[in-house]
Amino acid sequence: MHNAIKWVILPLAVLLLSACTPVINRKLSPPENTQWVNIEITNPSPYTQPFPLEVRYISNKCQKKRISGFDGSVISEPSYGAVHVPMQQNGDIWSGKVAITGGGICKWTLSAITFGIEYIDATHMGKDLVLGTAVGATFAFEHSAVRNGVFEHLSNSDVTLSPIYYPVIKTNKLIRQNDSLHLFGKDDFIKKRMLNLSQTVNIKFNPVLDESKIVRMVAPEKHIVGEFYKIIYPDGTVVSDGSIHPDIRKMGE
């Protein structure tokens, strides 16, 4: 009987908490004196395109509340708000800007920005290819944004990145009938932590796409213990050791 009562009370506590928690106002209103992050991306191919900036803000003023799964206590945490910022095209150059101080009632401040490129057309690489994952970079602007991953700290407010990416065609009949086309590099998403936010930040992303070297990954057609992806490199080398990401060192870098 004790366990039954506990399971009834916990959802009720969640309902009461939800009723008492105010709706978070996620409207942004950058002040006139805010600093900006200017992002410029050079699109490396007519078959790729930068995706909209994925921006996350944090508010320590408008906190959200949740119940701890350990002891049922109420925990207050910062709130987050996400927004997609479309980029403006001028030939091969795409640009966008993001306010470091988002302002608004909740005094939003910039937490992180993710940007990059993705394939938008795969017809030149093969018939009926499904478009796959993107590549790019994530820039963190406050400490909680670096919890998931290793970020390089930067004090310079002007940053230029020129990573090299390659296409990889994946065959996995257990997931989909058609092959899929992806991009990969040394780091699919470069991670940087900006330390100096007292001035405008300028980020230039000039990726290079080398389609002369194509990697193929073929998954087993059945779930069999000890059977892994076969990764086939441009020089004909085949690796099947449990890796699920191509080794950039085998691309001649």
Side-chain angles (χ1 to χ4, degrees):
M1 176 61 72
H2 175 73
N3 288 337
I5 293 175
K6 181 171 63 177
W7 282 103
V8 171
I9 291 176
L10 183 57
L12 179 60
V14 173
L15 289 174
L16 290 174
L17 179 61
S18 300
C20 296
T21 301
V23 176
I24 304 298
N25 187 323
R26 289 182 167 81
K27 184 177 180 179
L28 301 177
S29 181
E32 292 184 1
N33 64 345
T34 186
Q35 300 296 334
W36 294 85
V37 179
N38 298 311
I39 297 177
E40 181 181 287
I41 299 177
T42 302
N43 189 29
S45 166
Y47 303 105
T48 61
Q49 183 172 297
F51 54 82
L53 302 177
E54 298 176 359
V55 184
R56 186 174 68 166
Y57 283 92
I58 184 173
S59 171
N60 289 300
K61 179 181 178 182
C62 298
Q63 297 202 333
K64 61 182 180 181
K65 300 181 185 298
R66 67 177 178 87
I67 294 179
S68 170
F70 295 101
D71 57 8
S73 61
V74 177
I75 299 174
S76 295
E77 298 176 326
S79 295
Y80 290 93
V83 61
H84 287 79
V85 177
M87 304 197 73
Q88 304 299 314
Q89 181 183 10
N90 184 7
D92 292 336
I93 306 298
W94 294 65
S95 58
K97 62 187 301 185
V98 176
I100 292 178
T101 303
I105 295 175
C106 289
K107 297 189 181 301
W108 296 100
T109 59
L110 184 59
S111 174
I113 304 176
T114 296
F115 56 85
I117 60 170
E118 60 188 353
Y119 271 116
I120 58 169
D121 187 345
T123 54
H124 67 300
M125 298 293 289
K127 184 178 179 181
D128 298 327
L129 285 173
V130 177
L131 298 177
T133 53
V135 288
T138 295
F139 274 67
F141 294 84
E142 51 89 24
H143 66 91
S144 70
V146 302
R147 288 179 296 182
N148 299 319
V150 178
F151 285 70
E152 177 188 359
H153 288 194
L154 299 176
S155 57
N156 190 355
S157 59
D158 293 323
V159 183
T160 299
L161 303 175
S162 301
I164 301 175
Y165 296 114
Y166 302 93
V168 54
I169 297 176
K170 295 183 179 182
T171 300
N172 192 336
K173 299 300 183 183
L174 293 174
I175 296 178
R176 61 173 66 88
Q177 185 62 34
N178 293 337
D179 293 348
S180 56
L181 176 63
H182 307 257
L183 291 165
F184 80 96
K186 180 180 179 181
D187 298 299
D188 290 350
F189 276 87
I190 301 167
K191 294 181 178 181
K192 306 288 186 181
R193 165 73 157 100
M194 300 300 299
L195 299 178
N196 185 2
L197 305 182
S198 62
Q199 56 186 315
T200 296
V201 176
N202 298 301
I203 302 172
K204 291 187 177 182
F205 186 62
N206 304 323
V208 176
L209 175 59
D210 185 354
E211 291 186 331
S212 69
K213 300 176 181 179
I214 303 172
V215 175
R216 295 183 178 272
M217 295 180 63
V218 182
E221 294 190 1
K222 296 181 180 179
H223 289 297
I224 302 176
V225 176
E227 291 288 327
F228 306 110
Y229 261 111
K230 291 182 179 179
I231 304 178
I232 307 168
Y233 292 95
D235 65 357
T237 301
V238 180
V239 176
S240 183
D241 60 1
S243 301
I244 58 174
H245 189 279
D247 187 344
I248 197 70
R249 294 173 297 180
K250 296 185 182 298
M251 303 304 291
E253 283 199 351

